[in-house]
């Protein structure tokens, strides 16, 4: 098994991140938990808190093992909490 921290890493900033999907995380396409880890890493890079309290994902189609783009935006921020939307797309 590969290192999830390495394979789910994102690069970028200012609300736009990139990652390359690794084919080792496959079950009829990229595993949902692997995709969620990439989204969470982008949301954490965008946000101001070191860890997430919760995560909710909706998968609209099966991805390909290629580059993905993740757009993030802060929906609401307070002193103790922050809500970040992350949207992953290909092509």
């Amino acid at each position: 098994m590969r290192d999830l921290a390495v394979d789910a890493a994102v690069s970028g900033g200012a609300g736009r991140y990139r990652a390359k999907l690794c084919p080792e995380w496959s079950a009829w396409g990229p595993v949902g938990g692997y995709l969620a880890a990439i989204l969470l890493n982008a949301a954490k890079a965008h946000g101001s808190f070191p860890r997430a309290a919760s995560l909710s994902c909706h998968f609209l189609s099966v991805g390909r093992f290629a580059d993905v783009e993740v757009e993030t935006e802060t929906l609401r921020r307070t002193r103790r909490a922050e809500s970040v939307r992350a949207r992953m797309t290909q092509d």
Side-chain angles (χ1 to χ4, degrees):
M1 184 61 65
R2 295 182 52 100
D3 187 344
L4 181 61
V6 172
D7 291 341
V10 297
S11 61
R16 300 189 64 85
Y17 301 90
R18 295 186 64 80
K20 182 165 180 67
L21 299 185
C22 176
E24 299 294 322
W25 297 95
S26 175
W28 304 292
V31 175
Y34 171 55
L35 297 177
I38 293 170
L39 288 168
L40 185 59
N41 283 338
K44 287 181 358 183
H46 174 82
S48 54
F49 290 93
R51 61 183 175 269
S54 67
L55 171 72
S56 176
C57 295
H58 300 277
F59 300 100
L60 303 180
S61 65
V62 177
R64 293 181 335 282
F65 290 103
D67 291 343
V68 294
E69 293 183 10
V70 181
E71 294 178 33
T72 58
E73 71 174 298
T74 300
L75 301 177
R76 180 163 161 72
R77 179 183 300 146
T78 66
R79 286 183 332 133
R80 295 184 182 196
E82 182 175 22
S83 179
V84 176
R85 176 187 295 152
R87 180 174 180 255
M88 181 183 291
T89 57
Q90 283 185 315
D91 301 326

